[in-house]
Amino acid sequence: MPSKTLGSSKICASDIAILYRAHYVSRTIEEVFQREKIPYTLNSGVPFFDRAEIKDALSYLRMIAYKDDLSFLRVVNTPKRNIGERRIKALKEYVAEHGGSLYEALKISLGDELFANTKAQAFIDLIEGFSSSYSGMQISELFSHVMNQSGYELALRTEGSQERLDNLAELKQSIYEYETSCGEECTLENYLAHAALYTNADISTSKNAVRLMTIHTAKGLEFPVVFIAGMNENMFPSKKVDSLKAMEEERRLAFVAVTRAQKLLFLTEAEGFSQHAGGRYPSRFIFDIDRPLLNYEVELPPALLAKTRIYIEENNSTLQKKDALADLAEGDTVEHGILGRGQILKIDQTAGTYTVKFEKVATPRKMSFKAPLKKNQS
């Protein structure tokens, strides 16, 4: 990457840091940098297409298209199907003697006692079912069905692996972008070839390379030029924010990001729609900066600004209600504007309801968490 001149100073690639709230944001940046041959290095995390969940998901798609041994070994027991090393060894021995693929060996061996207490049949049914039908499906649709029916996404949810789920959602976004850009050549095979270009891509070892990292990693560091990527609602601030206190933590993190820049600071946001985060609105943290201090490359459309303000106001209102409700517990006395005084008998977090016995009502009433209940302090 050639040096750029800023006044009397030269800006080199190593002077530039690109910061983001969450690891999944790096996907788009990495793809563009690799395509444009811009040297970069990751100061935190693993390259997007080298992350375990991304390799797993793509291996499922390759199994459907090719049934190759490498993909088979990666996903046949992911999630667990009781097909461990002993059974894999038996399949390899069968292939060494008779030829063919490991997948074919498993199909032939389904009736063997060795595979009696496994989920081998379910795995075969999954692959066979999609192999015979994927040509008529959109790749993003196929991806969603496979992640669901294989149990892979459920396994991540059970583990509580939100970061890995975010990465899967970002992979689906990349598939969606591929679908909308490639026209008639949009086949599963072509997409897999496209994704392979980014898998195991060389990360620059040069000292003159742009640095990519999360904002948390950047704490305590400073750079001449900083880009903060993904300055959108539900990205930064994170969609996981569930209280006003958590929002203030996000705001402090935004301050950390902004103050990493020594000379130049670029805030970037993207309009439109994301499979991962839904409708995109500029981050509220952009508007926390005094307008005279901002130099917009492109002025935000008035309609977008109006929708963004409405979204932020509604979100703040929701967080305020959540904070108010967080103080309520079973046994508390509450007040309702119409029903009057009552006592909370039960809280159902799954259904999002309170069961309240009001003094003026004969039977207990179920009330939504959104109901205007106030804790009685007397």
Side-chain angles (χ1 to χ4, degrees):
M1 181 177 178
S3 300
K4 301 293 184 183
T5 301
L6 177 66
S8 60
S9 303
K10 283 188 176 180
I11 300 296
C12 302
S14 58
D15 294 327
I16 301 170
I18 300 180
L19 312 181
Y20 33 79
R21 175 65 179 82
H23 285 294
Y24 73 85
V25 178
S26 76
R27 191 270 304 175
T28 307
I29 304 167
E30 289 186 63
E31 285 188 11
V32 172
F33 276 31
Q34 290 174 29
R35 189 165 62 243
E36 299 298 325
K37 302 189 183 323
I38 298 173
Y40 72 94
T41 183
L42 281 159
N43 281 35
S44 63
V46 176
F48 183 82
F49 282 92
D50 287 344
R51 293 167 193 170
E53 57 276 12
I54 304 303
K55 286 188 171 184
D56 290 344
L58 292 176
S59 291
Y60 266 109
L61 296 182
R62 279 196 294 270
M63 273 302 300
I64 290 164
Y66 304 119
K67 302 181 177 68
D68 62 289
D69 285 352
L70 284 176
S71 300
F72 177 87
L73 289 171
R74 187 162 189 101
V75 301
V76 68
N77 203 41
T78 308
K80 299 294 184 184
R81 297 185 177 93
N82 201 24
I83 305 175
E85 292 182 7
R86 181 169 65 94
R87 293 181 171 91
I88 293 296
K89 181 181 178 182
L91 294 176
K92 288 181 176 178
E93 290 172 352
Y94 182 93
V95 169
E97 183 177 350
H98 300 92
S101 69
L102 293 172
Y103 178 75
E104 290 169 347
L106 181 62
K107 287 175 68 176
I108 293 169
S109 304
L110 280 176
D112 294 355
E113 186 178 346
L114 182 63
F115 293 91
N117 296 316
T118 70
K119 296 180 180 179
Q121 182 67 62
F123 178 73
I124 295 294
D125 290 344
L126 177 83
I127 301 303
E128 290 297 305
F130 284 116
S131 293
S132 63
S133 62
Y134 77 88
S135 60
M137 302 171 66
Q138 288 188 319
I139 308 167
S140 55
E141 179 187 9
L142 171 67
F143 174 82
S144 294
H145 287 315
V146 172
M147 290 297 95
N148 180 37
Q149 294 184 31
S150 65
Y152 187 79
E153 189 170 339
L154 176 60
L156 293 187
R157 292 192 186 283
T158 303
E159 293 172 10
S161 304
Q162 186 58 50
E163 183 174 316
R164 298 181 69 188
L165 288 167
D166 288 343
N167 284 332
L168 277 191
E170 185 61 25
L171 179 60
K172 185 176 180 181
Q173 176 67 18
S174 80
I175 295 172
Y176 176 76
E177 291 172 4
Y178 178 82
E179 289 173 333
T180 57
S181 65
C182 69
E184 294 180 358
E185 297 181 356
C186 188
T187 65
L188 176 60
E189 291 78 5
N190 285 345
Y191 171 73
L192 291 172
H194 166 81
L197 296 175
Y198 302 106
T199 304
N200 297 317
D202 291 333
I203 301 298
S204 178
T205 56
S206 168
K207 291 184 178 180
N208 189 28
V210 179
R211 284 173 279 191
L212 275 59
M213 68 189 80
T214 62
I215 297 166
H216 282 99
T217 302
K219 286 182 177 179
L221 304 176
E222 289 184 330
F223 311 93
V225 181
V226 168
F227 288 80
I228 305 177
M231 291 287 285
N232 287 87
E233 291 292 308
N234 292 319
M235 294 176 72
F236 193 23
S238 168
K239 66 178 181 179
K240 292 181 281 188
V241 170
D242 60 358
S243 68
L244 291 174
K245 182 179 179 181
M247 184 61 74
E248 283 309 303
E249 287 296 326
E250 290 287 292
R251 184 168 280 104
R252 280 190 280 273
L253 191 60
F255 178 80
V256 167
V258 166
T259 54
R260 297 312 89 201
Q262 295 172 318
K263 295 181 179 179
L264 287 176
L265 172 67
F266 296 87
L267 309 177
T268 72
E269 59 90 18
E271 297 169 36
F273 180 84
S274 165
Q275 292 278 328
H276 176 72
R280 284 176 167 152
Y281 300 101
S283 170
R284 66 192 68 196
F285 301 145
I286 295 175
F287 306 116
D288 286 345
I289 301 172
D290 291 341
R291 182 62 180 84
L293 300 177
L294 295 172
N295 179 21
Y296 280 85
E297 187 71 20
V298 177
E299 288 290 339
L300 297 176
L304 176 63
L305 287 172
K307 289 181 180 178
T308 301
R309 290 192 185 98
I310 292 172
Y311 175 84
I312 292 172
E313 287 173 4
E314 290 178 346
N315 179 257
N316 282 334
S317 177
T318 299
L319 293 179
Q320 287 170 355
K321 289 179 180 178
K322 282 185 176 180
D323 280 5
L325 295 174
D327 291 334
L328 297 179
E330 291 180 6
D332 282 351
T333 301
V334 293
E335 291 281 348
H336 186 275
I338 297 174
L339 299 174
R341 184 192 298 261
Q343 184 180 44
I344 296 177
L345 303 180
K346 182 180 179 182
I347 298 178
D348 188 332
Q349 297 288 349
T350 303
T353 60
Y354 300 105
T355 301
V356 184
K357 175 62 179 73
F358 290 100
E359 294 175 357
K360 298 178 182 179
V361 182
T363 58
R365 296 279 295 272
K366 281 193 175 182
M367 311 289 291
S368 166
F369 280 176
K370 297 179 181 180
L373 296 176
K374 291 185 179 180
K375 188 173 182 179
N376 191 300
Q377 302 296 335
S378 59

